[in-house]
Amino acid sequence: MRSQEMRFCKRFLDAQRNKPECALSKMDADVEASSEIDEILQQIAELDKWREIFNSRGLDLPQSYVKRPSEKIKSEEDSDDSSRPATSTHHIGAQNNQFTAPYSIPQTLTVSQSLGGQPLSPELAVSLRNILFGNTFHIFNYEWKKSFFKFREPFSDMAYALDTERVGGTCAIQMVVQAHIIKYLLFNRPVNSECTMQSMVTVGEKEQRKALAAALTDILWIAGEEQTATVCLVTLERCFTPHMDYKLDNFTERLQLFSFNKKEDVLSFIYEHIQCFKEEGSHGIILFLYSLIFSRTIDRVRADFDCTTTHLLHLSLGNFVSRQALLNLLLTGRATPQVFNGTSLNDEQDKALAQPLHGVLTRSHVGYLLWNREQVNHAQLPLVGSMLKTPKLPIWVCNINGTYSVLFSPNRSLLSDWKMEHLFQLYFYNGQPTQLNTTMLTIDTHSHHWEAENSDIQGDPEKKFPSVEMTIRTKWEGAVIDWNGTVPFF
């Protein structure tokens, strides 16, 4: 501790106590001053620790060279509390926009190296960074590190729902997993049995864990072409010492990879370690993303790409967000960058392309709908193909003006019987804590009076109707949407 800083604190507090207008008694002032000194000294000690950590990482050096943290610093980071105040992160980011405060995984959420996993090699770690960011010096920021799969209150109207970020890179991943949780709760039953919303709300903590494990397993198993899946967990010790051109994050270097050839083994393993994905401090979203990439394999992800995409995340407004290739990997098991059906050899003018563009090859269980006002205004909205618009089950992840939500129906036959699509209900969840009940929408596609009633309205219809309605109309053109008493939002 610096004696100069301590003397400054004491002089400041003595001056405060001696002010004539102070209403406190001498004893009360002494107690309060002592408490304030302790608090300030504690903060200075915290700053000293951060200063040492920053210096060990080379942040005080003008060159691009970054020192490797000593084992002492590694021990401090491992024993840190898993949460950091947002103000600290903001202050650090102002000094160096590529560095964020450590957000260490509690020891209770790590696994033993003797569990039988394969340690991550330095070569594989470099490939992982490149497939995510396009380089090896970007690392996940605080917003990503603090994200995990968190359910609402059990046995409540929203017991099935995950709390997600309104914006940010993790929201897309969380909402695809949310869609698969809904799939499990609604349709994980005999085909002829009735699916109702009641099965969504009578969900306790154990059922929440089972639903999350099933959702994660489904996505990983499809990415592994229904033959294999890999689950990533974290150990206490590093698996390798990174190269100088690889930026340390004290997390990826501790990965253990567990591979399985049977889906039931994947499910059992994930359920047994479900706390590693759903507890605060777990880095659960990142762990699942790593598992997804290794289940698909980096070589196959690269083969899925076309000339428009080289990595899965891109930087937007200071945060890493998902490219369409990552969304398609989550939804279909392939990291294809386009939303149309199949492979395109020609452009919109029917001229031959130098390299083909890779779209969606098969129908998935969960679909995808897209609406973006800015892209519509500039005639740039991609046309989603029928493979994504018409999934095997009536569940859709919706990308609405860059934010993510879920539309679904408990009617399994909705997309297999055209008569069902004349008049039906859809349920809408936007992932936000402010939504206290699942919104029910009634969709009328038969009368087509939406166009008739609004034919005299001039201008952009999107400005007069909620974006949710415009999104639904990309699937059911001309549909009339009744909010059933709910004030339209989004």
Side-chain angles (χ1 to χ4, degrees), residues 451-482:
E451 302 99 321
E453 288 183 358
N454 299 286
S455 59
D456 58 338
I457 297 178
Q458 301 298 315
D460 181 6
E462 202 280 333
K463 295 178 180 178
K464 302 174 179 64
F465 300 98
S467 294
V468 174
E469 296 187 17
M470 304 307 294
T471 305
I472 292 171
R473 292 185 185 108
T474 65
K475 166 64 178 171
W476 292 280
E477 186 176 359
V480 177
I481 294 98
D482 185 352

Side-chain angles (χ1 to χ4, degrees), residues 272-302:
E272 184 178 347
H273 298 92
I274 197 64
Q275 74 278 2
C276 296
F277 299 95
K278 69 178 294 290
E279 296 294 333
E280 185 174 4
S282 65
H283 293 48
I285 303 295
I286 302 177
L287 274 181
F288 174 63
L289 177 55
Y290 284 173
S291 301
L292 178 69
I293 293 170
F294 287 128
S295 293
R296 181 62 182 160
T297 76
I298 291 176
D299 287 341
R300 284 193 292 202
V301 170
R302 287 199 182 104

Side-chain angles (χ1 to χ4, degrees), residues 111-125 127-128 220 228-235 237 239-240 251-260 269 277 286-298:
V111 296
S112 170
Q113 288 182 315
S114 63
L115 192 59
Q118 180 70 30
L120 183 70
S121 68
E123 295 78 16
L124 203 53
S127 296
L128 178 62
L220 298 182
T228 184
T230 298
V231 181
C232 296
L233 298 179
V234 177
T235 62
E237 301 298 326
C239 302
F240 64 89
F251 166 68
T252 306
E253 302 81 29
R254 295 155 55 193
L255 285 184
Q256 292 271 333
L257 279 56
F258 300 85
S259 297
F260 304 90
F269 185 81
F277 299 95
I286 302 177
L287 274 181
F288 174 63
L289 177 55
Y290 284 173
S291 301
L292 178 69
I293 293 170
F294 287 128
S295 293
R296 181 62 182 160
T297 76
I298 291 176

Side-chain angles (χ1 to χ4, degrees), residues 314-437:
H314 70 97
L315 198 59
S316 175
L317 301 177
N319 198 4
F320 290 106
V321 298
S322 302
R323 293 180 183 270
Q324 189 64 47
L326 177 52
L327 273 170
N328 285 355
L329 177 57
L330 288 159
L331 290 166
T332 71
R334 292 184 176 91
T336 53
Q338 313 300 331
V339 294
F340 52 68
N341 293 351
T343 300
S344 178
L345 303 176
N346 301 302
D347 61 16
E348 294 178 355
Q349 287 74 40
D350 206 28
K351 294 181 180 179
L353 295 167
Q355 299 180 48
L357 300 179
H358 298 166
V360 180
L361 300 179
T362 59
R363 292 173 68 200
S364 54
H365 284 95
V366 173
Y368 177 72
L369 300 177
L370 171 64
W371 177 262
N372 187 289
R373 178 176 59 251
E374 294 300 322
Q375 289 180 319
V376 168
N377 290 342
H378 294 89
Q380 296 175 340
L381 186 69
L383 296 178
V384 178
S386 60
M387 293 293 186
L388 289 174
K389 277 188 181 180
T390 310
K392 295 178 182 178
L393 293 171
I395 308 171
W396 294 266
V397 173
C398 301
N399 181 351
I400 306 176
N401 298 323
T403 62
Y404 293 88
S405 50
V406 177
L407 275 170
F408 61 96
S409 169
N411 183 359
R412 186 194 292 264
S413 303
L414 177 62
L415 300 178
S416 58
D417 184 349
W418 62 271
K419 288 180 287 187
M420 295 280 186
E421 296 186 71
H422 285 170
L423 186 66
F424 58 96
Q425 277 76 43
L426 288 179
Y427 293 86
F428 179 72
Y429 174 55
N430 68 2
Q432 301 309 300
T434 53
Q435 185 174 348
L436 303 179
N437 296 284

Side-chain angles (χ1 to χ4, degrees), residues 2 38 45 88 92 104 138 155 173 189 213 231 234 238 241 267 334 350 377 382-383 395 414 421 449 457:
R2 291 172 174 77
D38 290 342
S88 297
I92 295 164
S104 300
H138 277 143
F155 299 112
I173 298 174
R189 56 190 71 247
V231 181
V234 177
R238 292 185 192 149
T241 301
L267 178 61
R334 292 184 176 91
D350 206 28
N377 290 342
L383 296 178
I395 308 171
L414 177 62
E421 296 186 71
H449 56 270
I457 297 178

Side-chain angles (χ1 to χ4, degrees), residues 14-265:
D14 286 340
Q16 294 298 313
R17 286 200 306 271
N18 294 330
K19 285 184 178 180
E21 66 272 21
C22 182
L24 294 173
S25 66
K26 184 73 167 62
M27 182 178 298
D28 290 338
D30 288 340
V31 172
E32 180 176 304
S34 176
S35 175
E36 290 175 353
I37 288 175
D38 290 342
E39 180 179 354
I40 292 174
L41 294 182
Q42 183 178 357
Q43 292 177 2
I44 292 175
E46 182 73 6
L47 288 173
D48 281 344
K49 185 180 72 173
W50 279 113
R51 186 180 293 111
E52 186 178 1
I53 292 175
F54 289 176
N55 290 341
S56 74
R57 290 174 178 261
L59 294 184
D60 58 335
L61 298 177
Q63 303 97 320
S64 60
Y65 171 78
V66 179
K67 298 178 185 177
R68 294 194 186 98
S70 65
E71 289 304 311
K72 177 182 177 183
I73 301 302
K74 174 183 179 297
S75 175
E76 286 178 352
E77 289 181 349
D78 286 349
S79 61
D80 273 349
D81 188 281
S82 63
S83 62
R84 294 289 177 198
T87 52
S88 297
T89 304
H90 177 74
H91 178 67
I92 295 164
Q95 299 180 44
N96 188 314
N97 60 8
Q98 293 301 332
F99 181 79
T100 55
Y103 190 86
S104 300
I105 296 180
Q107 292 188 14
T108 55
L109 300 180
T110 61
V111 296
S112 170
Q113 288 182 315
S114 63
L115 192 59
Q118 180 70 30
L120 183 70
S121 68
E123 295 78 16
L124 203 53
V126 168
S127 296
L128 178 62
R129 280 277 177 84
N130 279 314
I131 208 70
L132 281 168
F133 305 110
N135 57 62
T136 58
F137 54 84
H138 277 143
I139 61 174
F140 285 110
N141 59 15
Y142 177 81
E143 296 303 318
W144 275 83
K145 290 178 180 179
K146 74 180 180 65
S147 297
F148 59 101
F149 297 105
K150 179 185 178 182
F151 277 97
R152 296 281 195 93
E153 192 69 24
F155 299 112
S156 69
D157 289 343
M158 304 298 290
Y160 71 92
L162 295 174
D163 273 337
T164 67
E165 306 292 336
R166 176 64 176 173
V167 293
T170 62
C171 182
I173 298 174
Q174 289 170 312
M175 293 312 290
V176 175
V177 172
Q178 176 69 83
H180 279 267
I181 289 172
I182 293 170
K183 168 181 172 285
Y184 171 84
L185 294 174
L186 280 181
F187 303 116
N188 185 40
R189 56 190 71 247
V191 175
N192 295 327
S193 63
E194 184 180 5
C195 304
T196 66
M197 284 297 294
Q198 188 64 24
S199 62
M200 303 279 284
V201 299
T202 56
V203 177
E205 288 187 28
K206 183 177 181 180
E207 194 68 11
Q208 287 177 337
R209 293 194 297 270
K210 290 173 63 177
L212 178 59
L216 301 182
T217 299
D218 279 350
I219 296 171
L220 298 182
W221 191 246
I222 293 172
E225 299 188 344
E226 299 184 326
Q227 296 181 354
T228 184
T230 298
V231 181
C232 296
L233 298 179
V234 177
T235 62
L236 285 174
E237 301 298 326
R238 292 185 192 149
C239 302
F240 64 89
T241 301
H243 301 299
M244 296 307 301
D245 58 350
Y246 175 96
K247 188 170 183 179
L248 188 78
D249 66 14
N250 198 33
F251 166 68
T252 306
E253 302 81 29
R254 295 155 55 193
L255 285 184
Q256 292 271 333
L257 279 56
F258 300 85
S259 297
F260 304 90
N261 297 319
K262 294 181 179 179
K263 185 177 181 180
E264 55 266 30
D265 293 340

